[in-house]
Amino acid sequence: MSEDKLIEGVLSGKRRALARLISLIEDEDSSVSRILAKLYRHTGKAHIIGVTGPPGSGKSTLVTRLTTELRSRGLTIGIICVDPSSPFTGGALLGDRIRMQEHALDKEVFVRSMGTRGHLGGLARSTSDAVRAVDAAGKDIVLVETVGAGQSEVEVVEIAHTVLVTDVPGSGDDIQAIKAGIMEIADIFVVNKADLPGADKKVTEINAMLDIAPTSDKWRPPVMKTNGRTGEGISELVDEIQEHMAYLKSSGVLEHKGLQRSKDELEQIMEYKLTRELMTKLQGTPEFDQAIKRIARRDVDPYTIAERLITKFLASCRE
Amino acid sequence: MSSSKKIRVLVAKPGLDGHDRGAKVVARALRDAGMEVIYTGLRQTPEMIVEAAIQEDVDVIGMSILSGAHMALFPKVMELLKAEDADDILVVGGGIIPEDDITELKKCGINEIFGPGTPLEDIVKYIRENVNA
């Protein structure tokens, strides 16, 4: 598929083009930044919803249920599910689709599985660009399901407008609830498998944690009970998700976050490009190799050498 | 194409057949060989398999069937792939499939059939050598 055809395909919502683009993004193909550059102005329309929580807390089932409800409200859906890659072989078994059979033939639901490929933080490095591709393809909602998260897989907060943190009854005590990390990123808490004993206690614990949280935020994360098996509580959850988006818009938080994200992204891209530029210039040069050897022998220190090489690089840019 | 290209494989169980041990063992072996395996689970229709293969942009589809319905389901998958212009995907099968049927299935575009007792390394090697890089 040619680049122009691919771009045209993605923008008209063709799923083969979208699927191919996500592969190129994952494989870090050299064409990706050119393609994304052309798609950029068509993005920013989708409501991006992150779903995170411990392994086995029902994230995939919840995503399926949410999809059913959102579809019934006339919205189109893209789903990106991330599962871990093996740190030893780089392989992965991506099994989130198993729970998403219900929507397998709905052309307005696009599901894509991603392996983390060595990236920590709960997502793959390319997840944010993949989400952007789905956004460009015109989906109203993008659901991003993270890997089963522990306490510090919090990266989803950087790409999602609304973050759902799932938990189940009987997991941990009230001290777990006030620890830093994942409990801080929720816009909405979801106590899933609420038919199990201890659901109300869990809700109370999370609410108690929220009561003592010093926050200037006007949005207090609601704590919702759901049952992924029966679908109980899902409609109310979707109401809250839409409520949250309305809050983001009316409070100006959406605009503020948008600026922050654009700043972070621009910095990241510049840092990446600059480093690559510098390293392609240096790597393999006798000067660089010599410096490494001298550092290893303790003749010189890496701090001084780094300073010197960068100064020289910047000077060469001025010429 | 950059060097970080990973082989993506869809492992599926078409039809009414609950025997998924073989499919899981193969999925695990492919994972251990560094591939990304998308496992769809049981009771897939040909339409579901082809749709998943397209959305996941896989290089390979592996189907396991032990119910005897392979002559109905495998060719249907091939037909749908052609209709979607996606017949560049490598398609392999496994399970209990008689010799005579294998010839027929290969005629309709299934690239290879791996019967019981196939060493896992053979499957890995076959995929590595035949996938459209």
Side-chain angles (χ1 to χ4, degrees), chain A residues 124-170:
Chain A
R125 185 149 55 129
S126 45
T127 301
S128 98
D129 282 342
V131 168
R132 184 160 282 164
V134 177
D135 185 354
K139 297 294 182 208
D140 300 317
I141 306 274
V142 186
L143 291 158
V144 182
E145 181 190 335
T146 73
V147 302
Q151 296 174 315
S152 59
E153 282 87 353
V154 295
E155 216 172 69
V156 67
V157 76
E158 286 162 30
I159 61 170
H161 299 113
T162 305
V163 175
L164 313 186
V165 172
T166 63
D167 207 342
V168 289

Side-chain angles (χ1 to χ4, degrees), chain A residues 216-276:
Chain A
S216 54
D217 220 347
K218 292 224 172 58
W219 176 264
R220 177 188 160 110
V223 186
M224 311 292 294
K225 278 198 290 186
T226 57
N227 183 337
R229 202 164 43 79
T230 62
E232 256 167 277
I234 298 296
S235 169
E236 292 82 353
L237 177 56
V238 169
D239 290 343
E240 284 296 340
I241 290 170
Q242 292 184 329
E243 187 75 18
H244 183 246
M245 184 37 100
Y247 157 78
L248 289 178
K249 282 183 180 154
S250 66
S251 62
V253 173
L254 189 67
E255 201 189 338
H256 176 77
K257 277 192 178 168
L259 283 172
Q260 186 62 42
R261 256 171 225 160
S262 301
K263 175 173 172 282
D264 292 346
E265 187 170 29
L266 181 62
E267 278 177 10
Q268 267 172 29
I269 294 171
M270 283 167 58
E271 196 181 305
Y272 176 74
K273 295 239 174 218
L274 209 56
T275 312
R276 213 177 47 176

Side-chain angles (χ1 to χ4, degrees), chain A residues 7 10 35 57 130 132 143 159 192-193 203 216 231 258 276 305:
Chain A
I7 291 168
V10 170
I35 296 172
S57 59
R132 184 160 282 164
L143 291 158
I159 61 170
N192 197 27
K193 308 192 187 184
V203 171
S216 54
R276 213 177 47 176
I305 296 293

